[in-house]
Amino acid sequence: MSQWRWGRQSLRRRLLTTVMVPLLLLLLMNSLITYIGALIYANHVHDKNLIDDTLTLVQLMATESPDGRVTSQAKFLLEYDPNGHNYFSVFSAKHGLVAGNPTLRPPDGLFKDSSETQLYDIQIEKHALRAASIQMTNPHDASDELEVNVAETLRDRHIEAQQILLLSIPAQTLLIFAAFMLVWLGVRTGLRQLDPLTTQLANREHDLAPIGDQDVPVEILPLTRTIDGLFARLRGMLALHERFIADAAHQLRTPLAGLSVHAERAQASADPATIADALNHIQRLIQRANRTSKQLLALTRAQTTEHEAGDSEPLNFAVVIPELVGLRVHEAIAANIDLGYEGPEGPLWIDGDRHRIQEMLDNLIDNGLRYAGEGALMTVMLSSQNDNIFLVVEDNGPGVPPAWIERLGERFFRVPGSAEEGSGLGLAIVQRIAEWHNAKVRYFAASQKGGLRVEIVFPAMHT
């Protein structure tokens, strides 16, 4: 159980890890800043002591060394350093080196702008040193100038900075640990705000109502809104299924009832003519039920408005539409209908699904073959204007009375008085497929003499 739990992703662990790593980096950065600050402080203190040592050496030479020499005791104190080695030098303008290390000299121009005690960095025998220098009149010879230099290694400064750092690290670590514990408690308490939402969802059985934004933390609103979107899609799918069942029951009730009646006729009669007539009716009803079931399935597919990756592709209507029309020419010839195509030679591109376009065009042609009548003329036309592509199917049949044109495209609607059998789903399928392609369907009278013109306006694809 423990392995399963640790093997899964944990929001709590991820949040704590996300916080812990920056806290550790903060500890390292704070330690570096502390060390730099301690080193600056140590440098400031040692620089002040270095100046004091230089002034002390000057005072010593003025009061206790009438010949300008430095006693051995004073030399020992100046050079003694338990962790390294210190240096000093005294130079006379007349006599050169008076005492100390001859290599300890300030850089040229150090006293150009000021005669006060000056600090500088120097390197002697591969040792980095910090030095202080002062120029003064020889107290025993007013015509002579003395240059007094005192230098020390940097070791003590770094040791003191390290000691300060080591003293501060435990306190900083404790502070970081306390901050981490507070964050852990905050994350634990904050995640408990998800418990009511989890309980609410767990108590649902078939309820797909939206969760809503009320009492939902702002940070998880994107998640709950995504869940609400999923619920909405599920409600749509369930409604689609329920509608399909209702449509199927509505459309198949009549042919199934007819099948039962004619089957009983065939069983009850011994007359071959009656039996043959009943079987003929049964065959026609089976064909009608078969066509209706196919159109119901097509309508269900067409009503799925969600686009998924790979559903659509660039289609050149100037190539696709003539090919699809050509597939139906033999049926038009059998029905004694002149089916033709008119369109430009140049490409007309849309973003669409070829199978849905074929389903839509087949239903438009079926509608014309069924209702235009023998000897009719049906034309499929393509054109473009501005950023739109127009697909038009027009016939010169009896057409649709103006009072009923607005209802074309409704499910199960059939123009009253039509002699041809139909399910009333063909134009509804066309309507749904057009909506899937963000296209608009318009119906017109083809001419004053009759006929129907179906015009579908597609948005052009910019290539």
Side-chain angles (χ1 to χ4, degrees):
M1 185 69 171
S2 176
Q3 291 180 354
W4 177 84
R5 180 177 300 175
W6 281 98
R8 294 180 63 86
Q9 292 187 357
S10 169
L11 180 60
R12 181 182 286 107
R13 286 204 309 271
R14 180 170 293 184
L15 288 173
L16 293 177
T17 302
T18 303
V19 173
M20 190 62 184
V21 171
L23 286 178
L24 292 176
L25 293 176
L26 181 62
L27 177 60
L28 294 175
M29 185 179 297
N30 194 33
S31 299
L32 179 61
I33 293 174
T34 300
Y35 179 76
I36 294 174
L39 187 59
I40 292 174
Y41 176 76
N43 285 333
H44 176 74
V45 172
H46 277 262
D47 284 350
K48 185 176 183 303
N49 292 338
L50 195 59
I51 293 174
D52 290 342
D53 290 344
T54 305
L55 295 176
T56 300
L57 178 58
V58 170
Q59 186 69 26
L60 180 65
M61 293 180 64
T63 58
E64 298 184 9
S65 182
D67 59 352
R69 303 291 177 181
V70 179
T71 65
S72 59
Q73 294 85 354
K75 180 178 180 181
F76 174 78
L77 292 175
L78 287 170
E79 294 181 340
Y80 174 75
D81 182 359
N83 296 317
H85 186 72
N86 291 337
Y87 301 84
F88 81 98
S89 65
V90 178
F91 287 90
S92 167
K94 290 183 177 181
H95 308 289
L97 178 67
V98 176
N101 192 310
T103 59
L104 178 60
R105 296 296 303 269
D108 295 336
L110 181 66
F111 296 98
K112 180 178 180 181
D113 299 325
S114 174
S115 61
E116 299 293 330
T117 304
Q118 301 294 321
L119 293 167
Y120 57 94
D121 295 318
I122 192 173
Q123 187 167 341
I124 298 178
E125 299 176 357
K126 298 183 179 180
H127 296 294
L129 304 175
R130 183 71 168 167
S133 294
I134 188 172
Q135 288 184 343
M136 57 177 287
T137 303
N138 191 333
H140 307 289
D141 184 357
S143 63
D144 189 19
E145 289 285 332
L146 296 180
E147 179 187 89
V148 181
N149 306 294
V150 178
E152 64 177 11
T153 60
L154 305 178
R155 181 180 177 85
D156 287 345
R157 303 172 184 234
H158 289 288
I159 290 176
E160 290 177 10
Q162 292 171 5
Q163 290 174 345
I164 294 174
L165 175 63
L166 292 176
L167 289 174
S168 66
I169 282 180
Q172 294 177 5
T173 304
L174 182 62
L175 183 63
I176 293 294
F177 178 75
F180 178 77
M181 293 303 298
L182 291 175
V183 170
W184 180 77
L185 291 174
V187 169
R188 185 177 181 182
T189 304
L191 290 178
R192 285 179 179 173
Q193 296 186 17
L194 299 178
D195 292 343
L197 178 60
T198 304
T199 303
Q200 176 188 350
L201 293 176
N203 292 334
R204 292 190 180 193
E205 292 184 0
H206 304 292
D207 184 11
L208 295 179
I211 299 173
D213 296 346
Q214 187 176 5
D215 299 329
V216 176
V218 175
E219 291 75 11
I220 64 170
L221 271 179
L223 174 61
T224 57
R225 288 172 179 171
T226 302
I227 294 175
D228 285 345
L230 175 61
F231 283 171
R233 291 193 293 273
L234 288 175
R235 289 196 304 271
M237 292 177 61
L238 292 175
L240 192 62
H241 293 163
E242 292 173 358
R243 188 184 307 165
F244 173 77
I245 293 172
D247 293 346
H250 173 75
Q251 284 298 304
L252 297 178
R253 184 184 300 115
T254 300
L256 289 176
L259 285 172
S260 178
V261 169
H262 291 294
E264 291 176 359
R265 281 182 57 205
Q267 289 176 343
S269 175
D271 181 13
T274 302
I275 295 174
D277 182 66
L279 292 176
N280 185 41
H281 279 86
I282 288 174
Q283 184 178 14
R284 291 175 58 192
L285 289 170
I286 290 174
Q287 292 175 348
R288 177 181 174 185
N290 184 41
R291 173 178 170 76
T292 300
S293 63
K294 288 182 178 179
Q295 287 205 305
L296 283 170
L297 290 172
L299 179 63
T300 302
R301 290 194 300 269
Q303 288 179 145
T304 304
T305 57
E306 293 295 328
H307 289 244
E308 297 181 359
D311 275 356
S312 60
E313 60 180 339
L315 297 177
N316 184 1
F317 258 20
V319 174
V320 172
I321 298 302
E323 291 179 356
L324 298 179
V325 173
L327 296 176
R328 303 302 303 274
V329 170
H330 66 284
E331 295 180 47
I333 293 174
N336 193 23
I337 292 178
D338 184 5
L339 175 61
Y341 167 78
E342 295 179 5
E345 296 181 358
L348 298 174
W349 292 95
I350 73 157
D351 184 29
D353 179 12
R354 183 186 176 96
H355 297 292
R356 286 183 169 90
I357 294 296
Q358 182 173 0
E359 185 80 33
M360 179 183 66
L361 189 58
D362 282 346
N363 276 278
L364 290 172
I365 293 176
D366 283 343
N367 190 72
L369 296 179
R370 184 177 295 273
Y371 298 107
E374 291 188 12
L377 177 66
M378 186 191 315
T379 307
V380 178
M381 294 175 283
L382 273 180
S383 62
S384 64
Q385 183 177 355
N386 298 330
D387 289 333
N388 296 317
I389 296 176
F390 294 81
L391 173 62
V392 178
V393 178
E394 182 179 287
D395 64 67
N396 61 353
V400 177
W404 304 114
I405 283 184
E406 292 184 358
R407 296 197 59 185
L408 294 178
E410 293 182 9
R411 289 184 308 139
F412 307 120
F413 173 73
R414 297 181 68 245
V415 177
S418 175
E420 293 290 333
E421 292 184 355
S423 62
L425 294 175
L427 294 181
I429 293 171
V430 171
Q431 190 80 30
R432 299 293 88 78
I433 293 176
E435 291 173 358
W436 192 93
H437 287 86
N438 295 320
K440 296 180 181 179
V441 183
R442 297 183 291 198
Y443 303 96
F444 307 95
S447 65
Q448 294 181 352
K449 296 181 180 180
L452 179 66
R453 178 185 175 94
V454 183
E455 187 177 276
I456 307 175
V457 186
F458 291 86
M461 179 181 178
H462 297 284
T463 58

